[in-house]
Amino acid sequence: MKSSPPLISVCLPLYDTEPLLAQCLRTVFLQAFDSFEVIVLSDASRGKDEKGRNGKKITKSVYKECRKIRKKQNLPDIKFRFVEHRENMGLVEVRRSLMYYAQGQYIAYVDSDDVLEEGALKSLYSAAQNQDADIVQGRSTTGVFLPDGKFVPAQKNLYAKITIGTVSGYDILKTWIHDGDLSGVLWAKLIKKSLLEKVFDSIPHIECNMAEDFLIFFFTAFYAKTYVGVDCPVYRYRASSGMSSARKIDSIKKLRMVCSTASVFTVISESKELQKLEEPEVLCVRRLASHYLLNNIKQLHETVAPELQEKAHEMLCEYWGAGFVEKMERTLDHQ
């Protein structure tokens, strides 16, 4: 007899975070929830953990380990899949692919260098079911993991903005982008797969590794009918990993990764959805575009190898537009 589809698909993008993957997967595989699947998608990652294992071997090993524990705890078995992109496509396309692979009613994106809190899926799904919510967000904590595994919360809890309770319709986008009272990251949330299908239909194929959550959540917030914030911890965000603005840029590929932030705002500015926003929210999008460009300029000035400085400026103008770049450079000169 064919089994029923899972209620939740937990989706993990993987790119060069293999040393941290096992820790993440244990917190996912051991969730005390009866109906979920796990999908790990490697974006042509070549990383290895301290034992020399690639992502596929790590996932299989941790699954076997956790399967035994689930059995002892009388928890039902869960399914997992490990899939790969042959070429690196960037985080937007990874999240798109994960959505297509997912069979669950809801999707939970989990970055493969972070961890879920105990009971996260149960808490999020309970709220989603009670409210028939399109988006459910729980509390997240930013911090660092010590060598002994202890998690130390940071003084500033990045990305933790949350509105407890229900927000409906246009107020979801307004509460996020204008009021700043809920977080625009994709993790620490459950999102209906049917909503994400509509979202990705609005986003053309794009090569992007920065501001990708902003792009996806812009359309998610626009189309969502009901958002629910729940007052329970569900996620721990590892502040010390990911793409650092201080990382040295010594190749054309790394240059493009930084400049591709502009593609996010090109897609939004050309979308029919932006034309339907009220003026205060449109101004917020424009200010955020200026903010991201200023960060790009600072990053390229501070981290690009000397021999690539000229090419970096050309590429910045190619992506953002020469006039916009010159305007923001004058702003920096007066700061």
Side-chain angles (χ1 to χ4, degrees), residues 11 41 85 89-102 107 109 186 193 196-207 215-216:
C11 297
L41 196 158
H85 282 164
M89 299 177 68
L91 275 167
V92 173
E93 297 310 314
V94 170
R95 298 200 193 281
R96 189 198 305 270
S97 294
L98 283 164
M99 185 272 295
Y100 285 133
Y101 281 114
I107 289 176
Y109 286 114
L186 296 183
K193 183 184 178 185
L196 286 170
E197 288 173 340
K198 192 170 185 178
V199 166
F200 282 107
D201 280 346
S202 300
I203 301 174
H205 178 87
I206 178 174
E207 183 181 355
L215 173 65
I216 297 170

Side-chain angles (χ1 to χ4, degrees), residues 72-85:
K72 289 180 180 179
Q73 296 176 347
N74 293 317
L75 294 172
D77 196 13
I78 55 174
K79 295 181 178 179
F80 84 94
R81 278 179 288 173
F82 185 93
V83 290
E84 299 179 79
H85 282 164

Side-chain angles (χ1 to χ4, degrees), residues 201-246:
D201 280 346
S202 300
I203 301 174
H205 178 87
I206 178 174
E207 183 181 355
C208 175
N209 282 285
M210 299 183 74
E212 73 287 341
D213 278 10
F214 180 89
L215 173 65
I216 297 170
F217 197 71
F218 172 84
F219 293 98
T220 303
F222 180 88
Y223 284 118
K225 295 178 181 178
T226 307
Y227 161 98
V228 174
V230 292
D231 192 11
C232 60
V234 300
Y235 200 94
R236 292 185 179 184
Y237 173 77
R238 189 187 300 267
S240 59
S241 60
M243 179 176 288
S244 169
S245 60

Side-chain angles (χ1 to χ4, degrees), residues 175-186:
T175 302
W176 164 53
I177 204 167
H178 183 273
D179 302 338
D181 288 335
L182 64 88
S183 173
V185 295
L186 296 183

